[in-house]
Amino acid sequence: MAENKIFAGPKVRRIRNTLGLTQTAMAEGLSISPSYLNLIERNQRPLTVQLLLRLASVYKVDLDELQGESAGNARQLREVFADPLLAGELPGDHELVEIADSAPNVVSGILKLHRAYREQAARLTDLADLLAREGHATTLSGTLLPMDEVRDKLEGRPNYFGAIDEAAERFHAALAPGDDLPSALKGWLRKEHGVVVRLLPVHTMPNLRRRFDRHSMRLFLSERLSPFDQMREIAMETVQLALQDEIFAELNLLAFSTAEAKRIARFELARYAAHALMMPYEAFHTAAQRARYDVDVLRSRFGVSYEQAANRLTMLQRPGKAGVPFFMLEIDNAGHRFRRAGAQGFPQARFGGGCPKLGVHSAFAQPGQILVDRVEMPDGGAFLTVSRTLEGPQGAFAERVRRTALLLACDAAHAEETVYAEAVRRDGAVAVGTACRLCERQGCLARAEPPVTRPVGLDEMVAGLSLFDFQ
């Protein structure tokens, strides 16, 4: 059986320099010639198993460290160079591997600098948010990934696209689907464009939720999707054909900087249009007011999911016929934010979604239950929040369920217009804050970080309730 070849010349050289040995002295200890050791250190000869054993015996070298250190360094360097600031600097991984092999101390320095840079960037972002909240304009900006650019633009404006909404309403009226919108959409796709919808089993399409085959003109949907999500996928395919002009007109008005950002935004606008088609504005607005914005009633009436009905509530901003200005936030149990949307743009500075006392975090402990709270911010602002978990695509037996939680909220001044007002009358307000770095609320048991606006407390004789004391 052939021997495995291990090229670790820079590591051997580092060991020799650490021990203060010349090449001649180390070569003598390993029973090889100095010229051969020189070739090994220049990675022109591999380390054989015999030489590895001699290194371990004579110089007490940890063989696992000798073989595995560079792989870990290369992996961490890849993470650094995946940063948007450095993206595209390297054509491939070969240079990272060379650096990891030949200069591990340099790698350590690069990693420390990058960690410091990310920490400083986070602090500057938090301070920019704080200044924006106080009405001070800032010029702090960073390199954005296409997805971040799309999110920033869509989340910073009202979640309403009038041209798309009106076109969807007209198309729905012309389609006249009655009580069976999915069948009507399938019929329209087949008649007008020759597109046939097929549901595929998991083993046939294990990693996709949908796929459109242009050659056979078939739209394949995964059986993992709920009937509601299947309908949304069909609606998205429909609006990209029927409302193409309106979607592209709105896309051009948003003026994204890259083709990739435009592609992502086109998908988001198609998603918006699908909701507008599934729940036409006039009918949904009227039903929402009569049901006092009860999401469960609305989901049943329009045959949609809880998430779809809640999402549509954030879109009721038609001039002259607006609803309660809701905003929403969707997170996973690790706190990652998937989606934010709001009538006036999600108010991050006032209601950042980073406070662990929000009901959206507690919802994971009570799947499927609706949690209603009145929350108060340090500046006196108050909000009605409605939180509930959402189930993702159906998983197989061995897979973990993908579960997220959705927070639907509005200013407390509108609480009495909703069915949820009774719940908040019974209970007191929950004292929450913005993200911990911007919140100065004293004695908070849920605090995860000290605020950037206050010096950290260093009194050795006094310890507060919070894990992070500050002055």
Side-chain angles (χ1 to χ4, degrees):
M1 183 170 60
E3 292 181 332
N4 291 325
K5 295 183 178 181
I6 300 174
F7 291 90
K11 297 175 188 176
V12 174
R13 185 189 307 117
R14 189 167 73 253
I15 293 170
R16 178 173 61 79
N17 291 334
T18 301
L19 295 173
L21 300 173
T22 64
Q23 283 189 339
T24 301
M26 175 172 267
E28 183 178 347
L30 296 174
S31 300
I32 58 175
S33 67
S35 60
Y36 186 63
L37 178 59
N38 182 268
L39 291 173
I40 289 174
E41 290 189 357
R42 288 189 287 134
N43 267 350
Q44 295 183 8
R45 292 290 186 276
L47 279 171
T48 63
V49 173
Q50 290 80 3
L51 274 176
L52 285 170
L53 293 175
R54 287 180 201 157
L55 277 168
S57 175
V58 177
Y59 299 113
K60 311 302 180 187
V61 173
D62 186 341
L63 297 185
D64 290 336
E65 179 182 349
L66 187 67
Q67 298 180 66
E69 181 182 9
S70 64
N73 285 343
R75 177 185 56 77
Q76 293 182 77
L77 280 177
R78 287 190 193 96
E79 294 175 0
V80 169
F81 279 86
D83 190 289
L85 185 67
L86 302 174
E89 292 292 331
L90 298 177
D93 289 346
H94 60 278
E95 291 186 35
L96 298 181
V97 175
E98 290 176 4
I99 295 173
D101 280 337
S102 60
N105 291 331
V106 172
V107 172
S108 178
I110 291 174
L111 296 177
K112 287 180 181 178
L113 280 173
H114 186 257
R115 281 195 295 269
Y117 155 72
R118 296 302 298 172
E119 173 65 19
Q120 190 68 11
R123 292 176 66 85
L124 287 174
T125 300
D126 291 337
L127 287 172
D129 288 343
L130 177 63
L131 291 172
R133 181 180 66 178
E134 296 178 352
H136 301 291
T138 66
T139 59
L140 297 174
S141 62
T143 304
L144 292 178
L145 291 171
M147 176 62 78
D148 295 327
E149 181 184 1
V150 172
R151 284 176 173 171
D152 280 0
K153 285 205 174 185
L154 295 184
E155 293 170 4
R157 51 152 290 148
N159 190 27
Y160 177 71
F161 296 91
I164 293 177
D165 236 307
E166 291 169 9
E169 196 166 22
R170 290 194 300 269
F171 181 76
H172 187 278
L175 194 64
D179 294 329
D180 193 358
L181 179 61
S183 294
L185 294 178
K186 291 177 185 178
W188 184 88
L189 287 171
R190 185 186 303 109
K191 178 181 178 182
E192 299 295 331
H193 296 275
V195 175
V196 177
V197 179
R198 290 286 182 267
L199 195 64
L200 291 187
V202 174
H203 68 270
T204 303
M205 196 166 65
N207 300 318
L208 300 176
R209 60 188 295 126
R210 70 189 290 263
R211 181 172 71 85
F212 179 62
D213 187 336
R214 294 182 183 276
H215 297 289
S216 64
M217 297 300 288
R218 287 184 294 180
L219 175 64
F220 297 115
L221 302 179
S222 172
E223 66 178 1
R224 287 175 179 261
L225 301 179
S226 70
F228 310 117
D229 288 338
Q230 291 175 25
M231 179 170 64
R232 178 163 57 193
E233 296 297 333
I234 298 170
M236 286 182 65
E237 191 66 33
T238 302
V239 297
Q240 290 182 80
L241 295 170
L243 309 183
Q244 187 178 89
D245 292 342
E246 290 79 6
I247 290 175
F248 273 95
E250 294 286 2
L251 186 63
N252 290 331
L253 290 175
L254 291 170
F256 290 101
S257 62
T258 66
E260 179 66 9
K262 291 179 182 177
R263 186 188 68 81
I264 297 170
R266 187 168 66 249
F267 177 87
E268 292 298 327
L269 290 177
R271 182 185 178 92
Y272 178 99
H275 286 152
L277 177 58
M278 294 158 60
M279 297 163 275
Y281 194 100
E282 185 75 32
F284 189 82
H285 177 262
T286 301
Q289 287 188 320
R290 288 177 178 173
R292 299 184 65 209
Y293 300 94
D294 189 325
V295 181
D296 283 318
V297 170
L298 293 172
R299 65 184 290 199
S300 298
R301 185 163 301 171
F302 288 88
V304 296
S305 69
Y306 183 95
E307 178 266 330
Q308 292 165 358
N311 201 333
R312 187 60 169 147
L313 283 177
T314 70
M315 305 174 188
L316 299 183
Q317 293 302 300
R318 179 175 290 179
K321 190 159 286 190
V324 168
F326 283 102
F327 54 85
M328 61 169 277
L329 164 72
E330 184 181 354
I331 66 169
D332 67 8
N333 56 2
H336 301 121
R337 288 187 276 198
F338 290 113
R339 185 174 294 110
R340 292 181 297 199
Q344 304 302 322
F346 195 88
Q348 297 180 48
R350 296 174 62 205
F351 197 77
C355 181
K357 292 188 288 187
L358 288 172
V360 69
H361 301 289
S362 303
F364 290 103
Q366 304 175 63
Q369 300 297 309
I370 294 178
L371 307 181
V372 181
D373 290 313
R374 174 189 169 91
V375 300
E376 290 187 0
M377 307 299 292
D379 63 1
F383 298 88
L384 167 73
T385 67
V386 183
S387 305
R388 184 191 186 277
T389 55
L390 307 174
E391 301 298 331
Q394 180 62 46
F397 170 71
E399 294 178 315
R400 292 193 177 184
V401 175
R402 177 189 180 274
R403 180 174 289 139
T404 60
L406 184 138
L407 178 144
L408 184 68
C410 67
D411 194 286
H414 298 281
E416 291 299 324
E417 299 177 51
T418 75
V419 73
Y420 306 106
E422 183 62 31
V424 297
R425 291 194 204 101
R426 295 192 305 263
D427 306 316
V430 180
V432 302
T434 56
C436 288
R437 284 176 175 268
L438 299 177
C439 179
E440 298 180 1
R441 196 181 292 281
Q442 293 279 359
C444 178
L445 299 177
R447 179 173 290 281
E449 294 179 295
V452 296
T453 54
R454 298 287 181 181
V456 176
L458 299 176
D459 190 340
E460 297 180 358
M461 306 301 293
V462 178
L465 292 174
S466 169
L467 292 176
F468 300 95
D469 293 332
F470 56 91
Q471 300 176 11

